[in-house]
């Protein structure tokens, strides 16, 4: 039985002169891990490695985790996050950030934490 439900498409969000394409779960069962991945692209420079890339996980407005992502290749980063077994259910948010050329990058995307996936 799957403990993570993945979205069927890669999502992209624009943040000024940046496009961040990311893959993340649509739903995660409490007590299980999921991988979050982001690809940072500048409109003129293509894929870029931002300074201080970070992934923060929020439950509502409460910060649950501040993660330092692993670089997979130029501009591509990932981080695994284990949702605590006693975590609250409902909407959570993954927030990717960094800087490039003195400009800030910040994108947010929701996902759901559920008790049990059917």
């Amino acid at each position: 039985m799957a403990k993570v439900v993945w979205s069927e498409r890669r999502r992209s969000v624009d943040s000024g002169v940046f496009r961040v394409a990311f893959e993340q779960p649509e739903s995660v069962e409490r007590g299980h891990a999921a991988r979050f991945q982001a690809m940072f692209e500048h409109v003129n420079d293509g894929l870029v490695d931002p300074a201080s890339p970070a992934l923060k996980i929020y439950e509502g407005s409460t910060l649950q985790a501040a993660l330092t992502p692993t670089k997979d290749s130029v501009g591509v980063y990932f981080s695994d996050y284990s949702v605590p077994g006693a975590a609250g259910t409902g909407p959570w948010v993954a927030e990717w950030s960094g800087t490039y050329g003195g400009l800030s990058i910040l994108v947010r995307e929701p996902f759901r934490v559920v008790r049990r996936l059917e």
Side-chain angles (χ1 to χ4, degrees), residues 9-60:
R9 62 185 172 85
R10 177 178 288 180
R11 299 177 205 159
S12 293
V13 175
D14 290 326
S15 176
V17 294
F18 300 97
R19 171 169 286 156
V20 181
F22 47 92
E23 293 179 358
Q24 70 180 45
E26 204 171 275
S27 299
V28 181
E29 189 174 310
R30 293 189 307 187
H32 293 276
R35 177 159 288 186
F36 295 79
Q37 180 174 307
M39 185 169 47
F40 295 90
E41 184 176 5
H42 185 273
V43 294
N44 296 322
D45 299 338
L47 290 174
V48 296
D49 288 326
S52 304
L55 172 62
K56 293 181 179 177
I57 304 291
Y58 291 92
E59 177 185 9

Side-chain angles (χ1 to χ4, degrees), residues 83-102:
V83 176
T89 58
W92 286 42
V93 173
E95 176 186 274
W96 288 93
S97 63
T99 60
Y100 179 78

